[in-house]
Amino acid sequence: MELKRVVVTGLGAITPIGNTVPDLWDSVVNGVSGGDMITHFDASKFKVQIACEVKGFNVADYMDPKEARKMDLYCQYAIAAAKQAIEDSAIDTEKEDLDRIGVIYGVGIGGIRTFEEEMAYYEKVKENGPKFSPFFIPKMISDISTGHISMMYGFRGPNFVTTSACASSTNAIADAFNYIRLGKADIIVAGGAEAAVSVAGVGGFSSMKALSTRNDSPASASRPFSNSRDGFVIGEGSAALILEEYEHAVARGAKIYAEIAGTGLSADAHHITAPHPEGAGAILAMRHALEDAGMNTGDIDYINTHGTSTPLGDIAELKAIKGLFGDHAYEMNISSTKSMTGHLLGAAGALEALISVLAVKNDIVPPTINHEDGDDDPNIDPRLNLTFNKAQKRTVRAALSNTFGFGGHNSSVIVKKA
């Protein structure tokens, strides 16, 4: 069976550094940080008081506010990004076969804010017997985002959510890619969404000592690959990519940003939270993606790393890159855009795949910001080009994006010039 080609024809984004794709890209290229003090709740007594929150989001721009009240914030973000991407791709629902358009998102946690709010209400009224909102479960569950998107547009193709912690939305892209190239769909809205800047979200990750405690400098707290890094900065938002069968896109005259070349998945089989110290699972995922794409290590010009700014994770990933790419690792650009956006958990993979698409399209490599002179990690090979602090122009024929999640889930996606 001949596999079909899959291209990207639309993009949408709600992020801590821009609520449209042009604004996001402008911030990325110019090294803008989304880190700031938490405003979603009173974090004054928390050890961690910083996050990369979405700013200036107006739900009324995307849906009826009355309907929005029946949705968790993560779902609102998901719908907004999807709406942007669908409009960007100029999909005409009057002309398309809606049975062949699907929606696949990655969501790591889902409606944690709704759960907190509902339990707070229950504690307040429990003396009079249990009482819950009829919208509690539909607001909370992680799969409801794709359900809402399908109902808004009448898309009746494959529709589900993948959950693999921080690898969730790269897994969603992989599934969408495979459904299309196997001929089971023409178009899939693939993406991710998360809104876990909440009491439980921040409190839980903080208790694990996973988060940065640089409360005095939130904008520079996410500093991947720097010696002084002390954990990730939690972020929120959504990103959506329209994946489309190549011939279908050409036939309707769609603009094409890039081509999805291949994906790779693996497991560390090592620890519930810590990465394999030598990056064994990461090597497997990247190797599988290259094999899936029919590409060699020398074909990759840029890697958008998982790069969360944790002491163990950054080292393991760079070991994996050197282990797989050998001397070519010194010829590539490597960066972590989480230095700007923070870590969007289940939405991270979709956002970083979107940024990788734009890097390929525009021949610009985004920077890893917040690196200071004298803050070099002695465990990191100084010959690696980690694109510190300033974007770099170069031809980007193909980019690889990595996402790794708790439980040892690893996923990689390769995008190339179409």
Side-chain angles (χ1 to χ4, degrees), residues 223-244:
R223 46 182 57 210
F225 313 126
S226 291
N227 195 44
S228 61
R229 66 190 184 279
D230 68 332
F232 71 83
V233 177
I234 191 170
E236 62 174 358
S238 180
L241 300 85
I242 304 300
L243 271 55
E244 185 167 355

Side-chain angles (χ1 to χ4, degrees), residues 266-272 274-277 280-282 284 405-410:
S266 74
D268 277 352
H270 172 68
H271 189 272
I272 58 170
H276 189 283
L284 273 178
F406 285 174
H409 311 296
N410 306 300

Side-chain angles (χ1 to χ4, degrees), residues 2-9 96 100 180-181 183 185-187 243-256 258-259 418:
E2 183 178 354
L3 297 176
K4 298 178 182 296
R5 295 172 62 190
V6 181
V7 294
V8 179
T9 62
E96 294 293 335
R100 294 187 57 81
I180 294 172
R181 69 174 175 169
D186 296 325
I187 298 171
L243 271 55
E244 185 167 355
E245 193 274 320
Y246 172 72
E247 297 293 346
H248 185 275
V250 170
R252 71 180 185 90
K255 67 174 177 292
I256 295 175
E259 182 170 354

Side-chain angles (χ1 to χ4, degrees), residues 349-397:
L351 176 58
E352 288 149 24
L354 184 155
I355 291 171
S356 298
V357 165
L358 293 175
V360 167
K361 179 180 182 293
N362 296 310
D363 288 323
I364 299 176
V365 175
T368 305
I369 67 167
N370 295 327
H371 184 72
E372 300 170 357
D373 291 341
D375 197 19
D376 299 318
D377 187 331
N379 297 302
I380 292 177
D381 190 336
R383 293 173 294 174
L384 294 171
N385 183 358
L386 298 175
T387 323
F388 282 135
N389 296 326
K390 188 175 181 180
Q392 295 179 15
K393 292 186 177 182
R394 66 168 292 170
T395 300
V396 184
R397 299 166 299 164

Side-chain angles (χ1 to χ4, degrees), residues 151-164:
M151 287 182 277
M152 287 180 72
Y153 292 96
F155 298 156
R156 295 185 293 269
N159 187 284
F160 57 91
V161 158
T162 60
T163 297
S164 50

Side-chain angles (χ1 to χ4, degrees), residues 86-103:
I86 291 164
E87 291 176 357
D88 184 41
S89 185
I91 296 171
D92 188 342
T93 56
E94 297 296 321
K95 295 180 179 179
E96 294 293 335
D97 180 354
L98 302 186
D99 291 354
R100 294 187 57 81
I101 302 180
V103 187

